[in-house]
Amino acid sequence: MMKKIRMLAILFGITAMLGTAQAGLFDPPVQNESFEQPALSPGGWFTGAQDWIYSGYIFTVYGGGYPEAVKGNQIIDGYGYTIAQQIGTYDPDTDLIVEAWYGSRNSSASDFTISLLTGPDYADANSVAATTITGNDTISQYIVELNTGTGGVAGEPLYLQVAVNGQFYSNIDYVQVFSKSPTSPVPANGANSVPVDQVFSWTSTIAGPNDTYDVYMTDADGTELIFRENVSTTEYAPASNLVENADYSWQVVRREPNSVEDILYPSSVWQFTTKSPATIVDDPADTLVDAGATATFSVTASAATSYQWKKDGIAISDTAGVYAGTNTDTLSVLDVQQDDEGSYTCYASNAYGGEESGAAILSIKRLKAHWDFEGDLTDEVEGIVCTPTGSPAFVTGVVGSSAISFDGSSFVVADIPTYFNFFDSGLTVNAWIKVSTDQSYKTYLAKDASYWMNASGDWSAFASTGAGALGASAGAGATEDNEWHLTTLTYDAPTTTFKYYFDGEFMGDFVTTPQTDNYNSPLTMGAASSAGAGKYTGLLDDVKIYNYPRTDAEIAQDYLGIMTTKVICVDSSLLTYDFNNDCEVNLADFAEFASQWLNCSRIAGVDSGFGSCN
């Protein structure tokens, strides 16, 4: 029973002394102990020691040079150098074993010092343990034992340092640190949300075949919860589960058998909690509404007890006629106006922490950009300016007085702001084009590799990366007839349907989820990308971008507002009695119906109760 009392005293004493959680040894572990560098060729010389702090003249040399590397292919060679690395955080009175392979490059034996230092950082660290060794003429193995003592501050970084004494060349290879005490706990020190049925484990780098382990655990009040002696493996599953929302401390003691009394090597005191901060399960979704409507955003969170909605990163509060539910899982934006457009997020939390949701974009159905090219490259809606490359020119247009002309070497790029990137939640793009030469799939409007519209031969097309291209034939030579044509693309997010229109008429559609890898890329006119690929030769006018899919009737009206002598049948399939498919139900349709009056194709059985046609 004395041993049990003794070990509990160690646990309680260290816990009280720490005050805050600290990582212990090997967090981070010793890195690149054999000083291997990637992609070294034989005889290659590279300055530096990967993952180590160093000073003096130092380089890494392939093992085929000065004496053969003990571990791997590289060794460190240098002149009057010091190397150091953080091996964890300081714990008092901890036994460590350091292995290092060291030797002089020439025939003179040299001294080197292995030290443990601790402090807020390496530059301000003080030595808490050190030993000096006289090295051999060739690389040899050295193993030393060091104790961290009591001269450091618990939780501050702990460094291992190897310093060459004197000004001469020497080599070092394969530096490792071992602890006599258990390390690398699972759950890790400071872990949150630990399951109540957690299986505990640890690492013991130095252990004899008969060594065992004692496991101790307390709750936040210091009450003993678990005491288990002589565990034979480095894993322990408590007989009873932990409880939710609680703080714990635990410690493992390596027990080395001894004929007089077992030698005990206690680990650091590790702390964890079963408390779970709130986490986001489902993010709010982008919302598109008519002006004056109410927009609703919802978030699903696990273990949340409070919510805070934000607009463009700024917390908002319930305001009559503006916001409701700002501290709930559902936000309502009332009487939505253009000023309400933006990015909405929700921070869900509880007493143990929280998480912020992904952003949802609120937009009003409206025209988002309009380049009319009336002598300038500025968008008429939000003032987005295009930057030209080459020499695009202004010429006579189809809408207004001018359009922009591209000569196959020029294009313009609109560096659109982040809030403009709504393209995967619904859109309509209108662009008037005039082409007189063979285009061979040249692009006149593109969102880099995400979306593009191009012209080639007798047709114009739209494509979304990963979805293939949708082509719409408009008649022989239609896009190369030196006439103005309106090309239109729409995307409906709820149905993931793209539609393509030519001169106001619906041509086809396909269903796919749009590609969004280049979602934040610029908008380019006159080329397929902002880098200038796939340049277009022809005219472009009155480019309009809406943040919602316009209807067939609206798109037809866009075209007929300019081409006033044309006629478009929007969708004759909606006219049930349009028998002659002229987009109008009139006497001609009645005549078609009447011409079939009393026609009969019935053949009836004798006992059916129906007569045959008479």
Side-chain angles (χ1 to χ4, degrees):
M1 188 64 184
M2 286 297 293
K3 291 178 182 176
K4 177 178 178 181
I5 294 172
R6 175 184 174 188
M7 291 315 303
L8 287 174
I10 292 173
L11 176 61
F12 297 151
I14 293 177
T15 303
M17 179 177 64
L18 289 178
T20 57
Q22 37 79 36
L25 293 170
F26 315 125
D27 183 16
V30 175
Q31 298 292 314
N32 194 32
E33 65 275 2
S34 59
F35 306 106
E36 301 301 295
Q37 295 276 4
L40 276 183
S41 54
W45 295 66
F46 284 74
T47 300
Q50 188 179 10
D51 299 314
W52 289 77
I53 304 166
Y54 66 93
S55 62
Y57 182 55
I58 187 173
F59 46 85
T60 306
V61 60
Y62 185 73
Y66 302 103
E68 193 68 26
V70 178
K71 304 286 187 178
N73 291 325
Q74 278 76 249
I75 58 175
I76 279 185
D77 193 9
Y79 186 80
Y81 61 85
T82 297
I83 63 171
Q85 184 179 115
Q86 184 179 351
I87 58 173
T89 51
Y90 180 78
D91 276 338
D93 194 26
T94 300
D95 293 317
L96 298 179
I97 295 176
V98 180
E99 174 189 7
W101 291 74
Y102 181 84
S104 173
R105 194 215 290 185
N106 51 40
S107 59
S108 300
S110 57
D111 290 347
F112 68 103
T113 301
I114 298 176
S115 305
L116 296 176
L117 297 83
T118 185
D121 53 52
Y122 178 67
D124 298 320
N126 297 311
S127 176
V128 291
T131 185
T132 298
I133 303 166
T134 299
N136 296 323
D137 293 343
T138 58
I139 287 189
S140 302
Q141 181 188 41
Y142 298 89
I143 296 177
V144 299
E145 294 191 26
L146 297 173
N147 184 280
T148 59
T150 58
V153 176
E156 287 193 341
L158 178 68
Y159 299 91
L160 171 70
Q161 176 180 282
V162 180
V164 175
N165 301 329
Q167 301 296 308
F168 45 78
Y169 283 98
S170 62
N171 309 107
I172 193 167
D173 194 18
Y174 206 61
V175 177
Q176 293 195 98
V177 182
F178 303 96
S179 172
K180 292 186 176 182
S181 302
T183 59
S184 305
V186 176
N189 188 59
N192 293 317
S193 306
V194 174
V196 294
D197 58 351
Q198 175 72 48
V199 174
F200 296 84
S201 65
W202 55 91
T203 298
S204 186
T205 54
I206 299 177
N210 298 316
D211 286 4
T212 59
Y213 303 92
D214 298 338
V215 182
Y216 304 88
M217 187 174 297
T218 65
D219 61 16
D221 297 326
T223 302
E224 176 192 334
L225 301 177
I226 295 175
F227 171 72
R228 177 68 180 269
E229 287 187 302
N230 296 322
V231 176
S232 59
T233 67
T234 56
E235 185 175 279
Y236 174 62
S240 58
N241 289 343
L242 309 175
V243 298
E244 296 281 4
N245 300 325
D247 296 313
Y248 294 93
S249 296
W250 69 297
Q251 183 180 42
V252 178
V253 178
R254 173 175 154 247
R255 183 183 292 274
E256 182 181 293
N258 186 274
S259 59
V260 178
E261 183 179 14
D262 290 353
I263 302 173
L264 306 178
Y265 297 99
S267 72
S268 304
V269 176
W270 303 308
Q271 290 143 359
F272 68 90
T273 178
T274 57
K275 297 172 181 176
S276 298
T279 57
I280 299 296
V281 176
D282 292 313
D283 290 318
D286 292 347
T287 300
L288 182 69
V289 297
D290 293 314
T294 295
T296 302
F297 296 102
S298 295
V299 67
T300 303
S302 173
T305 57
S306 62
Y307 301 86
Q308 176 60 65
W309 285 91
K310 302 177 183 179
K311 178 181 182 290
D312 297 330
I314 306 299
I316 56 179
S317 57
D318 285 8
T319 305
V322 182
Y323 299 123
T326 55
N327 297 122
T328 71
D329 60 357
T330 301
L331 170 70
S332 295
V333 184
L334 311 173
D335 187 23
V336 175
Q337 302 299 320
Q338 190 167 331
D339 288 346
D340 296 315
E341 290 188 324
S343 173
Y344 288 81
T345 58
C346 182
Y347 181 74
S349 62
N350 58 28
Y352 315 120
E355 183 179 18
E356 187 149 336
S357 72
I361 304 301
L362 173 60
S363 301
I364 295 175
K365 292 181 180 179
R366 65 183 179 91
L367 178 66
K368 291 282 286 190
H370 178 201
W371 283 275
D372 59 9
F373 300 121
E374 294 299 304
D376 61 47
L377 300 175
T378 303
D379 152 50
E380 299 300 309
V381 178
E382 302 198 26
I384 301 171
V385 178
C386 292
T387 301
T389 295
S391 301
F394 292 104
V395 298
T396 301
V398 66
V399 181
S401 61
S402 67
I404 190 169
S405 175
F406 299 103
D407 59 8
S409 63
S410 58
F411 60 96
V412 298
V413 177
D415 191 10
I416 55 180
T418 301
Y419 66 80
F420 199 76
N421 291 314
F422 55 83
F423 297 97
D424 64 347
S425 56
L427 61 78
T428 298
V429 181
N430 274 359
W432 287 87
I433 62 171
K434 185 177 182 181
V435 182
S436 60
T437 59
D438 181 14
Q439 290 299 290
S440 298
Y441 302 99
K442 300 304 182 183
T443 301
Y444 53 88
L445 187 65
K447 188 72 161 53
D448 267 16
S450 296
Y451 309 87
W452 63 89
M453 298 175 76
N454 58 36
S456 181
D458 65 350
W459 59 282
S460 181
F462 166 75
S464 174
T465 299
L470 172 67
S473 175
T479 59
E480 297 175 1
D481 57 2
N482 203 32
E483 298 290 340
W484 283 104
H485 297 284
L486 177 64
T487 58
T488 305
L489 161 78
T490 68
Y491 173 65
D492 181 64
T495 62
T496 65
T497 301
F498 288 95
K499 292 183 177 181
Y500 181 77
Y501 301 77
F502 190 84
D503 285 346
E505 292 191 67
F506 171 70
M507 294 292 172
D509 60 15
F510 67 93
V511 176
T512 188
T513 301
Q515 190 265 6
T516 58
D517 289 348
N518 293 332
Y519 191 50
N520 293 314
S521 60
L523 184 71
T524 303
M525 288 175 274
S529 73
S530 56
K535 298 184 187 69
Y536 163 75
T537 301
L539 277 57
L540 184 66
D541 197 6
D542 209 50
V543 173
K544 292 181 177 180
I545 300 178
Y546 300 81
N547 62 358
Y548 66 96
R550 284 164 67 78
T551 65
D552 291 2
E554 290 172 325
I555 293 168
Q557 290 165 1
D558 290 337
Y559 177 72
L560 297 176
I562 303 301
M563 302 299 180
T564 57
T565 62
K566 305 289 185 178
V567 175
I568 294 175
C569 180
V570 176
D571 188 352
S572 61
S573 66
L574 298 178
L575 300 176
T576 304
Y577 303 107
D578 180 20
F579 299 117
N580 59 3
N581 295 316
D582 65 354
C583 286
E584 183 181 13
V585 177
N586 54 23
L587 287 175
D589 297 297
F590 180 76
E592 180 74 18
F593 170 72
S595 69
Q596 303 295 320
W597 184 258
L598 294 181
N599 283 352
C600 178
S601 297
R602 186 171 61 199
I603 300 175
V606 174
D607 299 321
S608 68
F610 295 92
S612 299
C613 298
N614 295 313

